Amino acid sequence: MSYFRANIEKTSGYVPGFQPSEAEVVKLNTNENPYPPSPRVIKAVRQIGVEQLRRYPNSVGQLFRESAAKCLGLGGPEYIMCTNGGDELLTIAFRAFCDEGRAAAYPVPTYTLYPVLATLQNCRAIEVPFGDGFRLPGELGRAGVALTIVCNPNAPTTTFIEPSAIRSLAEEVGGVLLVDEAYVDFAESNCLGLVEKFDNMIILRSMSKGYSLAGMRFGFAVAQPKLIEGLMKVKDSYNVNAAALAAATAAVEDQEYHRECVEKIKAERGRLGGELAALGFEVPASSTNFLLAGCRGRKAKEIYEELARRHIYVRYFDYPELRDKLRITVGTAQQNDKLIEALRKII
Ligand SMILES: *Cc1c(COP(=O)(O)O)cnc(C)c1O
C-alpha cells in the first residue's frame, strides 16, 4: 500500500534539464538566457533591505503589476497576476479549471509539464497531434474541455502560430484558452492584444528566458480582471518573494536592455542555425531562443553523449518523435563556436 494518492503514484513527475555543478561548461540544455540580467536588476537586488527580508512581501506584487502594465501597454495592473515562475501559473490554471469531470486539451508534441499537471489534478488530458507544418489541429477547438493550452512559440518544435489563428481558437473553445508565451520575446508577434477581446483568454509570460531571471523564479498571467480575480483565489497568499519582485520590476522597466539582449540572441540563432545546417543537421526556422536540430540518420543520443563528455550540454529527449533530434539553446557567440567546433570533431 502506498501513502500517496493513486494519481501521484501514476506519474514520475516532470524531468528538468541537467544543472551541471562544474563552472567551466557550455550549458545549452535548459533555454536560459546567456546574458546577465539588466544592470538595473543587479542594483535593485543589492538594495534589498533587511526590512524587506523580515516582512512578508506585497501579496499581489502591486509594484510589478503597475510597472508591467505601463511598460507592456496593458489595460492596467488588474490585468496581471504575478507568479513564482510561469510554471506556477500552469499549476494554478489546472487547479482552477480542471478536475475529474473537467478535462484539458493541448496540441502535441509540446511542453511535457502539461500531462504531469493533468495527472496530479486527476483530470483527463486530450493530446491532439499538430497538423502539417505544426499548424493548429482543427479538433482542438471542438474538444469541449475546460482548459485548452497552446504553447506559442511551441517547445520543443520552435514553431509559431499566428495570433489570427489563436484568435479563431479563442472564439471556438467553450472553456479557458491559456496561451503559454514563455518564449514569445524571441518571436515576431504575440497575443497580448487579444486579451481585451476575450474573457476566456490567459497569456502566460516568464522572466526566465527573455529577461535572464531563471534563478529568481518569476512569471505572470495577463487576462481580463474577472479571470485574474478568480486565479488569485487559487494562488498561495505570498507566492512571489520580495527579491524576485524587486528583480522582475527592475527588469520589466528596462525594455531597452531587454530588446538588445533579444536582438543579440536572434542574430546568433541565425548564425548557429546556418553553421549546424552546414554540418548536415536539419534546422527548421525558430521563433524561440533554441533550435531543434534533426540529426539526419546519425544517432542523436550518441552526439549528445559525446558533447556531454566535452562538458557541452544540450538536451536530448527520449520520446518517439524527438529521438533523432537535439534541442540546442542559443548561447553567446563563444559558446556557440565551442559547440560547432566540438560537433565538427564528433561527426
Ligand atoms: C520555461 C517555460 C515556462 C515557464 O518557466 P518558468 O521558469 O517557470 O517561468 C513555461 N512554459 C514553457 C513551455 C517553458 O519552456
Side-chain angles (χ1 to χ4, degrees):
M1 236 252 332
S2 164
Y3 289 117
F4 289 95
R5 287 154 55 217
N7 45 325
I8 307 298
E9 282 293 338
K10 217 161 55 187
T11 175
S12 43
Y14 179 73
V15 184
F18 171 59
Q19 295 291 359
S21 52
E22 317 103 278
E24 287 297 304
V25 301
V26 177
K27 189 174 178 309
L28 304 174
N29 68 335
T30 51
N31 298 342
E32 286 141 340
N33 194 309
Y35 300 107
S38 156
R40 286 163 68 168
V41 171
I42 311 301
K43 195 165 155 218
V45 171
R46 289 223 168 98
Q47 280 174 351
I48 290 167
V50 173
E51 276 302 279
Q52 272 167 287
L53 301 184
R54 188 182 67 77
R55 289 170 145 207
Y56 281 111
N58 180 285
S59 72
V60 296
Q62 193 59 19
L63 288 180
F64 175 85
R65 297 170 90 198
E66 284 165 11
S67 285
K70 213 178 295 160
C71 298
L72 303 176
L74 307 173
E78 65 276 21
Y79 283 78
I80 298 167
M81 178 176 76
C82 305
T83 59
N84 186 20
D87 284 350
E88 192 204 10
L89 174 58
L90 293 169
T91 297
I92 290 171
F94 272 92
R95 289 175 63 203
F97 305 116
C98 299
D99 64 19
E100 290 82 348
R102 300 165 59 100
Y106 45 85
V108 287
T110 191
Y111 190 24
T112 51
L113 180 61
Y114 307 152
V116 173
L117 295 177
T119 304
L120 297 180
Q121 189 60 19
N122 221 2
C123 79
R124 202 157 57 93
I126 301 173
E127 303 196 332
V128 189
F130 271 106
D132 283 345
F134 296 102
R135 278 198 303 272
L136 277 182
E139 303 96 284
L140 190 63
R142 299 187 288 273
V145 296
L147 175 65
T148 304
I149 306 177
V150 177
C151 186
N152 198 42
N154 189 46
T157 59
T158 74
T159 47
F160 185 72
I161 289 159
E162 287 305 321
S164 56
I166 301 278
R167 187 198 165 106
S168 306
L169 182 64
E171 281 163 0
E172 207 183 353
V173 296
V176 164
L177 173 60
L178 188 152
V179 185
D180 182 342
E181 291 196 338
Y183 293 105
V184 86
D185 298 310
F186 308 99
E188 299 308 311
S189 57
N190 64 67
C191 289
L192 280 184
L194 295 177
V195 166
E196 209 48 82
K197 299 183 184 74
F198 294 100
D199 66 1
N200 65 338
M201 184 176 275
I202 301 172
I203 311 274
L204 177 153
R205 289 292 178 96
S206 168
M207 305 293 278
S208 297
K209 283 96 185 194
Y211 291 86
S212 310
L213 287 177
M216 268 296 181
R217 313 303 304 126
F218 198 95
F220 58 100
V222 182
Q224 289 190 11
K226 257 185 105 169
L227 217 44
I228 292 289
E229 263 172 49
L231 292 169
M232 288 275 195
K233 292 194 268 185
V234 182
K235 78 173 186 68
D236 286 349
S237 312
Y238 305 104
N239 61 326
V240 178
N241 72 70
L245 266 175
T249 304
V252 83
E253 285 174 354
D254 198 350
Q255 286 296 312
E256 192 184 331
Y257 180 88
H258 168 64
R259 271 192 295 272
E260 279 169 21
C261 275
V262 166
E263 287 312 314
K264 278 194 282 188
I265 291 167
K266 286 207 259 185
E268 270 302 302
R269 178 177 74 193
R271 186 182 75 92
L272 178 61
E275 298 269 13
L276 289 168
L279 282 172
F281 289 91
E282 188 181 351
V283 192
S286 166
S287 296
T288 64
N289 67 335
F290 60 93
L291 297 167
L292 190 66
C295 298
R296 287 207 167 111
R298 285 187 297 253
K299 291 263 185 323
K301 187 153 185 265
E302 282 170 18
I303 298 176
Y304 159 81
E305 283 164 355
E306 282 290 328
L307 286 171
R309 216 164 289 148
R310 292 165 163 85
H311 305 286
I312 298 172
Y313 298 100
V314 300
R315 190 95 194 252
Y316 166 75
F317 294 97
D318 195 7
Y319 299 118
E321 68 271 31
L322 296 171
R323 259 177 218 138
D324 60 339
K325 298 180 174 65
L326 292 172
R327 193 193 72 183
I328 303 169
T329 307
V330 177
T332 61
Q334 293 100 307
Q335 291 177 317
N336 300 333
D337 284 343
K338 281 187 186 161
L339 170 74
I340 293 298
E341 203 180 301
L343 283 173
R344 269 199 202 110
K345 289 187 187 134
I346 292 168
I347 60 184

